[in-house]
Amino acid sequence: MADCVFCQILEGRAEGSVVYRDERAIVLLDLFPVREAHCLVIPVQHQPLLQDLEPDLCAHLFELARRTIRAHKRAGLDVLAHNVIVNDGREANQHVPHVHVHVIPRRGGDTLATALTWGTRMMNIFGLAKRRRRLDRLAGLLAEHFPES
């Protein structure tokens, strides 16, 4: 889909900090993260809603979410827990109408900061080039630690 930012990244027409990619999905770092190392698991197939995906693709997305969690921990990040979230539809706060799974690392005592960042994260458009360089370095680290299974 021409105007979908995730499709643009998948087609190489837009930048993305890629952690992992296979023929069915991609894992990349969120450009507007809630917490450091906030990843998105995105199917290659463009579908707006989770209900439109085949069951085996849904299972694959959540398997990649599980492996992303392992990569966070194997990379030595200060992570105690994770939120795994799907905003399914505009009314559920889905900003990009292409299915994606958020994998958000959590640390102890970060609930208030996470809640505040979630509501304002898309407003921070300054310093994108510097943020992209930082995300690319982090994507490289996570890719090194991304488990095969």
Side-chain angles (χ1 to χ4, degrees), residues 57-77:
L57 183 53
C58 285
H60 184 62
L61 296 179
F62 281 90
E63 169 59 15
L64 291 179
R66 183 189 73 81
R67 290 166 59 188
T68 300
I69 290 168
R70 291 191 62 210
H72 283 153
K73 293 179 178 182
R74 290 171 75 176
L77 301 181

Side-chain angles (χ1 to χ4, degrees), residues 4-148:
C4 172
V5 68
F6 294 158
C7 289
Q8 291 171 8
I9 292 169
L10 287 160
E11 294 165 1
R13 294 185 293 122
E15 291 184 80
S17 299
V18 178
V19 173
Y20 173 84
R21 183 175 184 157
D22 62 29
E23 67 282 349
R24 296 191 295 166
I26 190 170
V27 178
L28 54 87
L29 286 159
D30 194 308
L31 184 57
F32 299 99
V34 172
R35 308 299 317 145
E36 182 184 34
H38 173 174
C39 289
L40 303 174
V41 181
I42 305 165
V44 170
Q45 173 189 355
H46 180 89
Q47 289 292 344
L49 300 172
L50 194 61
Q51 69 189 18
D52 299 328
L53 296 181
E54 294 295 323
D56 66 317
L57 183 53
C58 285
H60 184 62
L61 296 179
F62 281 90
E63 169 59 15
L64 291 179
R66 183 189 73 81
R67 290 166 59 188
T68 300
I69 290 168
R70 291 191 62 210
H72 283 153
K73 293 179 178 182
R74 290 171 75 176
L77 301 181
D78 181 22
V79 177
L80 298 176
H82 286 80
N83 288 114
V84 178
I85 301 167
V86 176
N87 297 328
D88 197 40
R90 193 178 76 148
E91 293 76 12
N93 201 36
Q94 182 184 18
H95 294 284
V96 178
H98 184 134
V99 172
H100 54 287
V101 180
H102 294 265
V103 181
I104 305 169
R106 298 297 302 275
R107 296 146 185 85
D110 68 351
T111 301
L112 180 59
T114 300
L116 291 172
T117 304
W118 189 267
T120 61
R121 70 193 185 102
M122 303 292 276
M123 296 157 77
N124 185 3
I125 61 170
F126 300 104
L128 287 179
K130 182 178 178 183
R131 183 181 319 159
R132 171 67 62 209
R133 288 190 299 274
R134 188 176 72 247
L135 290 174
D136 287 346
R137 284 191 302 274
L138 183 55
L141 174 67
L142 292 173
E144 288 177 26
H145 292 89
F146 203 84
E148 291 185 27

